[in-house]
Amino acid sequence: MRSAEWSLTDLYAQLGQALGPSGWWPADSKYEILVGAVLVQNTNWANVDRSLANLRETTGFAPDQLAALTQADWVPLIRPSGFYQNKSRALVGLFAWLAHWDFDLAFIGGFPPATLRAQLLALRGIGQETADAARLFVFDQPTFVADAYARRLFGFLGRPYATYQALAKVTQAVAGWSLHDAQEFHGLIDNFGKTVKTPADFAASPLAGGRLTPLRAPLA
């Protein structure tokens, strides 16, 4: 393998050397992470922060208090995040689901990964990115989050993937990593993507000149 050709583990190492620890995810509790993962859909983190501050003041992110909120209660609290009607419905359904399992995050995290992912995707307003972020940061299941930052980076590295599913299919090896490394990989990719947005940005970045080796999905 030439030095400029990287596997997933090589890319993780290169990002770590370039950026240092990611400090991801910014939250005080897993319930705050879970709410943030829903609220960040189609908006920026500054808007999410305003909503999280409202919820922190009113509920302290106590799960029983969050589950007790009606959709009408959620709307004014999360209004800064936009799409508040859809997001409030999603959060009501999500916390009703959590209440069914007595808010036992460790127990839920013990579900087989495919089972947990399917249950999350069955909830209204929970898409693939949100489900995988929740599995990774809330339910402690190592996985790869094939978000827009990741797809853009992989494109810069010569391996473009047009859809979430396409990139997720060839990065399943991350499910075998340690939880810390899987979480850190995601944090590093997103931190890199916040500033490296164009081919010119990438050409000036510490990763310039690198290319990913072919990534193949596991055999079914």
Side-chain angles (χ1 to χ4, degrees):
M1 181 180 73
R2 297 195 302 273
S3 60
E5 293 182 342
W6 299 333
S7 65
L8 289 175
T9 52
D10 294 328
L11 175 58
Y12 176 40
Q14 291 291 331
L15 285 166
Q17 290 173 21
L19 302 179
S22 71
W24 208 260
W25 184 302
D28 294 327
S29 75
K30 289 188 172 184
Y31 295 107
E32 182 176 344
I33 292 172
L34 195 56
V35 173
V38 173
L39 296 182
V40 78
Q41 297 173 21
N42 303 305
T43 192
N44 61 60
W45 195 257
N47 292 333
V48 174
D49 253 342
R50 293 165 59 198
S51 298
L52 294 178
N54 292 339
L55 289 161
R56 191 176 297 112
E57 181 178 353
T58 56
T59 70
F61 288 101
D64 56 337
Q65 292 190 41
L66 291 167
L69 296 176
T70 65
Q71 184 182 355
D73 295 328
W74 278 102
V75 166
L77 296 170
I78 66 171
R79 188 178 294 271
S81 298
F83 301 95
Y84 44 83
Q85 295 292 350
N86 289 338
K87 292 177 181 180
S88 60
R89 282 192 289 266
L91 287 162
V92 168
L94 176 59
F95 276 88
W97 176 76
L98 290 170
H100 175 76
W101 302 109
D102 295 323
F103 307 108
D104 190 336
L105 302 183
F107 176 77
I108 297 170
F111 295 171
T115 299
L116 177 54
R117 193 172 196 267
Q119 289 204 23
L120 288 167
L121 290 174
L123 297 173
R124 181 172 185 166
I126 305 298
Q128 295 185 89
E129 181 177 333
T130 304
D132 288 338
R135 288 200 302 118
L136 179 58
F137 289 99
V138 177
F139 301 111
D140 295 344
Q141 292 188 350
T143 193
F144 186 86
V145 182
D147 61 11
Y149 289 130
R151 296 196 300 278
R152 186 167 65 203
L153 173 58
F154 278 54
F156 289 151
L157 292 168
R159 296 291 165 190
Y161 295 92
T163 66
Y164 191 99
Q165 299 96 309
L167 180 52
K169 186 176 181 180
V170 298
T171 52
Q172 294 180 37
V174 175
W177 292 15
S178 72
L179 179 63
H180 171 269
D181 286 340
Q183 290 178 338
E184 185 69 359
F185 195 26
H186 173 74
L188 289 167
I189 288 172
D190 277 18
N191 283 346
F192 186 82
K194 288 177 180 178
T195 57
V196 181
K197 300 178 180 179
T198 67
D201 293 337
F202 183 75
S205 78
L207 270 60
R211 292 182 66 82
L212 281 169
T213 55
L215 301 174
R216 296 184 176 87
L219 294 176

